[in-house]
Every structure is written in C-alpha cells, then in structure tokens.
C-alpha cells in the first residue's frame, strides 16, 4: 500500500485531524545510512510530523524541520514540499555510542543549547523575499511535545501530536482546534468541551498500537462514535532536490580561495548528498568554470579551458 496522508474533520466539533502512514519513503531514507535505534526512532517521528504539518501549507513550497543538537546528535533535517515529496537525514558526532532507549534531551539537548527550527520556503519568491523561519528552544521530552509547544507559541494553534516509528513504518496523528465550528463562531465552552473530548479519545492510543495498526483502522478504533468527514487521501513519496547546479552554487559561496586551496590538497572535490547519496565530482576545470561566469559578468572574457 502506498504511503498515505489522510485528512478529516469532526462534523460536531471544531477540530481537524490527520493520520499519516509512511513505509516506502521511510525505508528509502534508512537505506542510505544506518542509524542507531534511538536516532532512527526520532528521525522517523520527525518524518511523520513534517508530513502532517505540510498539509497546512498554503503556498507552493516546502517545510523544513531542523533540530540543531548539542549532544551526540548534531543535526536532524526533514524536508517536505506541498506535493509531499520528502527527504531526511541526520548527522552524529564522530565515534558516539548511543543507547537504544536514549531520550530526546539526551540525544540533542544535553547542555540546554539545542534548538528546533521550522522554515517555510516558498518555491517562487518575491524580490528580496526570505523564507520564514521560527526557532525555539527544545522545550519538551519528545518531538511531539516540542512541536506542540512551537505551534502554540508561533502559530497560536492548539495542536496535539502522537508519533511513532520503527524500522518498518512511521505513523502519526495530528489534532488541531479550529477557531469556529461550521463557519459560525461556537460558544467558548462548547469549543473547549469538543476539543477536550476528541483529545481524550486520541489519548487512549498506545505507542505499540500505533506501530502495529494501519491508519484506517486507527481512525475507526479511536473515533467510531464521532461523525467524521474524510477527504481524499494524499501520498508522500521520497524525492531529493539536489542537483549539480545547487552543488555548484554551494561551492561558489565558499569562495575561490577556499576552493583553490581544497583542489591543491585533494586534486578534485568529491561531494555526496546527505539526503540521497548522489555523488558529484568537480575537478579543476569544473571549479574554474564556477568563477569564470563571475569574470564574464564583469565584462571580462574568462580564459579558455580545455578538458583533457
């Protein structure tokens, strides 16, 4: 069965919901690099969370979720665009040994300097427009709690998340309180009661149950007493956005002096994409061409290069 993101709303409660199940995409991410169990679980949970949050994107772009850690895990990155094309990677400190049951603070926030960031990056930008980025401390013992706190602070949205991942599948459930019910502002007490009722139902979900149950069954099991409107499902897929052109732009940002120094030491530059493993080679001629375009732009003709 294809990876699936299922959105729904409660007809008698000002609440929207989403369930996601990611297996093919998740296994493809894992096939590129072997992670310790605790890191794999965290990365899988973040993958589910990114898919759930992407359903709210109101533009043609991507959501980028990052954790910058001060523990054995230095960086976790998940990207998901409006078409649910996803990629993910993690970077660990050299030589670390990580226990299977290591919790989020131990992995990325040992000294209280870990940070969580969500970036909204439109594909088509206005002149001078920069991606929107929100950065907050890693406030919570789980990635679900961290994101809930972020959504409340940054978006003023009451949000609840349940996330689970193992080596086979990553699943997630999101509930979000809507500002009105049926297009008419609902009495505050009624809105709070309906939100509390739905969250209480979802809170009966156990981690192991989530891993072992498909999302259609989970929806029925949790909310069978509720009247739910279900929308057409969408299907996340693995897709990397790396290109030789983007790698070239990255090298140009390093500057000619640094590139020349690296070439003198290594002979050529070999770059592997952290997300998909794609390999890119740049020899001295390739690197000269990177900066030759800048010379041409200044009205000068670059020296001719002959590849041997």
């Amino acid at each position: 069965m294809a990876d699936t993101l299922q959105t729904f709303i409660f007809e008698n409660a000002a609440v929207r919901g989403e369930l996601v199940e990611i297996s093919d995409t998740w296994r493809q991410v894992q096939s590129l690099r072997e992670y310790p169990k605790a890191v794999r679980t965290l990365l899988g949970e973040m993958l589910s969370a990114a898919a759930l949050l992407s359903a709210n994107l109101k533009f043609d772009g991507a959501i980028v979720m990052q954790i910058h850690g001060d523990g054995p895990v230095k960086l976790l990155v998940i990207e998901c665009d409006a078409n649910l094309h996803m990629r993910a990677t993690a970077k660990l400190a050299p030589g670390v040994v990580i226990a299977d049951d290591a919790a989020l603070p131990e992995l990325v926030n040992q000294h209280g300097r870990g940070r969580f960031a969500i970036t909204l990056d439109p594909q088509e930008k206005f002149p001078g427009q920069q991606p929107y980025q929100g950065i907050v401390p890693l406030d919570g013992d789980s990635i679900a709690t961290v994101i809930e706190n972020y959504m409340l602070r940054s978006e003023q949205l009451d949000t609840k998340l349940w996330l689970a991942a193992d080596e086979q599948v990553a699943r997630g459930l999101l509930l979000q309180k809507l500002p009105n019910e049926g297009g008419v502002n609902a009495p505050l007490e009624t809105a709070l009661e309906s939100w509390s009722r739905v969250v209480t139902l979802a809170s009966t979900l156990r981690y192991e149950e989530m891993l072992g149950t498909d999302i259609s069954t989970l929806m029925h099991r949790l909310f069978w007493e509720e009247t739910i409107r279900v929308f057409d499902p969408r299907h996340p897929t693995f897709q990397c956005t790396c290109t030789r052109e983007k790698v070239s732009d990255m090298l140009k940002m390093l500057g000619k002096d640094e590139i020349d120094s690296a070439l003198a030491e290594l002979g050529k530059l070999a770059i592997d994409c952290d997300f998909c493993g794609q390999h890119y080679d740049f020899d001295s001629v390739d690197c000269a061409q990177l900066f030759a375009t800048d010379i041409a732009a200044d009205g000068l003709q670059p020296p001719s290069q002959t590849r041997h």
Side-chain angles (χ1 to χ4, degrees):
M1 180 180 294
D3 298 349
T4 300
L5 173 68
Q6 180 66 68
T7 59
F8 55 95
I9 61 172
F10 294 82
E11 295 283 16
N12 301 316
V15 180
R16 63 184 295 270
E18 299 169 18
L19 277 158
V20 69
E21 178 174 284
I22 305 173
S23 54
D24 291 345
T25 301
W26 177 220
R27 285 193 291 268
Q28 193 159 354
V29 168
Q30 294 178 84
S31 71
L32 301 168
R33 189 168 297 140
E34 186 174 350
Y35 297 110
K37 180 180 179 181
V39 178
R40 183 188 68 209
T41 299
L42 177 57
L43 194 66
E45 290 179 354
M46 287 180 64
L47 193 75
S48 294
L52 292 167
L53 294 181
S54 73
N56 288 328
L57 290 181
K58 299 296 190 291
F59 61 90
D60 184 12
I63 182 170
V64 183
M65 188 181 297
Q66 296 174 297
I67 290 180
H68 298 269
D70 68 355
V73 179
K74 297 304 180 185
L75 180 67
L76 299 112
V77 184
I78 310 288
E79 294 185 13
C80 182
D81 68 16
N83 295 314
L84 297 183
H85 296 148
M86 308 191 74
R87 63 180 191 167
T89 191
K91 290 187 177 181
L92 280 59
V96 296
V97 177
I98 298 176
D100 287 350
D101 61 350
L104 179 70
E106 181 183 349
L107 291 172
V108 297
N109 203 29
Q110 285 188 346
H111 309 290
R113 295 192 297 270
R115 291 293 181 268
F116 174 71
I118 289 183
T119 303
L120 302 179
D121 188 11
Q123 183 174 351
E124 300 292 336
K125 298 182 179 67
F126 300 111
Q129 182 183 7
Q130 297 296 319
Y132 165 79
Q133 185 175 71
I135 303 175
V136 295
L138 281 168
D139 184 12
D141 293 332
S142 70
I143 188 61
T145 303
V146 169
I147 295 173
E148 289 169 0
N149 291 334
Y150 171 88
M151 295 300 291
L152 189 59
R153 292 175 180 175
S154 300
E155 308 295 332
Q156 287 77 54
L157 288 173
D158 285 307
T159 304
K160 293 293 294 182
L161 279 166
W162 293 262
L163 305 169
D166 60 13
E167 67 276 10
Q168 298 297 324
V169 68
R171 290 193 177 97
L173 166 64
L174 175 146
L175 295 176
Q176 208 161 64
K177 183 154 69 77
L178 300 174
N180 58 62
E181 190 169 352
V184 179
N185 289 334
L188 179 60
E189 184 177 358
T190 301
L192 291 176
E193 286 177 353
S194 62
W195 169 249
S196 178
R197 182 183 76 252
V198 172
V199 169
T200 298
L201 292 173
S203 296
T204 63
L205 182 60
R206 303 184 308 276
Y207 195 92
E208 295 77 12
E209 180 185 15
M210 198 170 193
L211 285 176
T213 312
D214 65 84
I215 59 174
S216 177
T217 303
L218 282 175
M219 184 186 301
H220 176 74
R221 187 178 294 177
L222 292 172
F223 307 122
W224 64 273
E225 293 181 306
E226 302 292 319
T227 303
I228 293 176
R229 189 195 315 169
V230 178
F231 299 93
D232 291 339
R234 301 173 64 203
H235 302 291
T237 56
F238 179 88
Q239 185 177 102
C240 189
T241 57
C242 75
T243 63
R244 188 173 181 85
E245 181 181 6
K246 289 183 178 180
V247 176
S248 297
D249 290 341
M250 180 270 293
L251 294 176
K252 289 175 70 173
M253 289 178 62
L254 294 176
K256 188 174 186 303
D257 291 342
E258 186 165 344
I259 295 301
D260 287 345
S261 176
L263 283 171
E265 179 182 354
L266 302 172
K268 69 175 182 179
L269 305 183
I271 298 152
D272 294 322
C273 176
D274 288 333
F275 292 96
C276 71
Q278 177 67 44
H279 182 79
Y280 299 93
D281 280 326
F282 287 79
D283 61 17
S284 59
V285 175
D286 297 322
C287 292
Q289 290 295 331
L290 295 179
F291 301 99
T293 55
D294 294 334
I295 297 173
D298 291 334
L300 301 174
Q301 292 300 317
S304 61
Q305 299 285 350
T306 303
R307 183 186 293 273
H308 297 287

